[in-house]
Amino acid sequence: MSAEYAKLARDAATANEGYPEYLLRLTELEVAARSANALRARIKQAGFPVLKDFDTYDFSALAHLSKPKILELARGEWIDQHTNCCLVGNPGTGKTHLAVALGLAACRQGRRVRFFTAASLVTQLEEAQKAYQLDRFLGHLDKTDLLICDELGYLSFSRTGAELLFQVFADRYERASLLVTSNLPFSDWGQVFQGERMTAALLDRLTHRCHIFEMNGESYRFRESVKASKKEKGK
Ligand code: ADP
Ligand code: MG
């Protein structure tokens, strides 16, 4: 307001506007600036590895992936309903891209989002536990409306690590949303969580109310590099 009041006052005088109109304009400007700042802070806080959105996602790449369903999730009601989302498929098919785009959409709706790779989440949980800060860290995660856990399955965890991750997932059950991406079909999750019992209990909670998208297909990265090398040869 302090940056703009003089200019707006001059504009109002020129346009012969009254004080209420002037005040309204000035307030609107302040509100818009504050909400833009808040959004910027939410996006920063989310810790996305890259900022990718739906506009750069080519939905024709995976024929069986439903664009309307993904865009419906982008509206965020699933987060109010505390349901989950899983994107499962081989590398390079855009799971991280869509996870970030869904996270950004949630940020724009004023929701608190945190993005972790599974490996870094587990490391941070273990470190917090060692430093007697686990409750604090869990409390922090608890405040997020959407927790994104990317790349589950690339690395397996120690028993403690798996148990900590289980605890995070189980804590959110029916209370807050999780978005998990994985290269492993659910039948192979035992490799990550070591032990059939824990895996079964976890999958039971995660998939109970869950939007599951199967994202197997040709790697987009690979396809793009083949295209690029063909172009190069054509020159
Ligand atoms: P994944 O997480 O499934 O391994 P990524 O989301 O990291 O895949 O995608 C790999 C790269 O390819 C990224 O740069 C991503 O933006 C791009 N990409 C993947 N699928 C698509 C798509 N359908 N349209 C546009 N870009 C895509
Ligand atoms: Mg990825």
Side-chain angles (χ1 to χ4, degrees):
M1 278 180 144
S2 69
E4 297 293 333
Y5 79 97
K7 183 183 171 295
L8 284 191
R10 277 195 303 274
D11 292 352
T14 321
N16 219 4
E17 274 180 353
Y19 187 70
E21 286 83 14
Y22 163 66
L23 193 60
L24 182 65
R25 246 179 255 288
L26 190 59
T27 317
E28 277 170 352
L29 208 66
E30 173 72 17
V31 169
R34 282 191 190 198
S35 80
N37 286 344
L39 174 59
R40 215 171 305 126
R42 274 195 302 279
I43 291 174
K44 188 162 179 246
Q45 176 80 136
F48 297 116
V50 283
L51 295 181
K52 299 230 172 182
D53 219 330
F54 297 111
D55 59 344
T56 54
Y57 190 79
D58 172 10
F59 278 93
S60 69
L62 294 177
H64 55 278
L65 184 72
S66 162
K67 180 176 178 179
K69 277 197 186 142
I70 294 278
L71 294 184
E72 189 186 328
L73 288 192
R75 293 185 7 219
E77 280 134 21
W78 66 289
I79 302 173
D80 292 330
Q81 292 155 359
H82 306 160
T83 56
N84 298 326
C85 175
C86 287
L87 309 176
V88 184
N90 58 281
T93 55
K95 297 183 296 298
T96 301
H97 188 137
L98 285 184
V100 170
L102 286 167
L104 276 173
C107 286
R108 290 192 190 103
Q109 290 145 8
R111 303 174 204 274
R112 279 157 306 191
V113 179
R114 288 296 304 268
F115 184 109
F116 293 93
T117 62
S120 87
L121 181 56
V122 166
T123 309
Q124 290 185 48
L125 285 164
E126 286 176 327
E127 278 171 6
Q129 189 178 44
K130 273 187 215 135
Y132 302 99
Q133 299 277 330
L134 184 61
D135 283 345
R136 199 159 157 240
F137 188 55
L138 291 176
H140 189 65
L141 294 180
D142 212 40
K143 290 203 191 87
T144 62
D145 302 303
L146 173 62
L147 177 65
I148 302 177
C149 181
D150 194 27
E151 298 188 348
L152 192 77
Y154 283 108
L155 297 169
S156 59
F157 313 118
S158 67
R159 179 85 202 172
T160 331
E163 279 167 7
L164 287 167
L165 192 62
F166 176 82
Q167 192 184 337
V168 170
F169 282 22
D171 276 355
R172 297 185 78 81
Y173 176 60
E174 294 197 320
R175 294 180 46 243
S177 293
L178 260 171
L179 191 168
V180 179
T181 84
S182 179
N183 59 315
L184 292 180
F186 293 132
S187 53
D188 292 346
W189 279 30
Q191 297 165 20
V192 180
F193 284 97
Q194 308 176 18
E196 293 303 315
R197 285 232 310 270
M198 190 150 65
T199 311
L202 180 108
L203 279 175
D204 201 43
R205 287 169 178 77
L206 181 67
T207 60
H208 172 208
R209 292 168 68 223
C210 189
H211 305 272
I212 299 170
F213 295 90
E214 193 257 320
M215 291 183 59
N216 282 306
E218 195 186 356
S219 161
Y220 196 84
R221 277 189 280 250
F222 183 70
R223 213 172 66 172
E224 291 291 289
S225 50
V226 170
K227 253 199 239 162
S229 76
K230 273 191 188 147
K231 244 193 217 162
E232 197 59 37
K233 273 182 201 148
K235 267 185 196 164

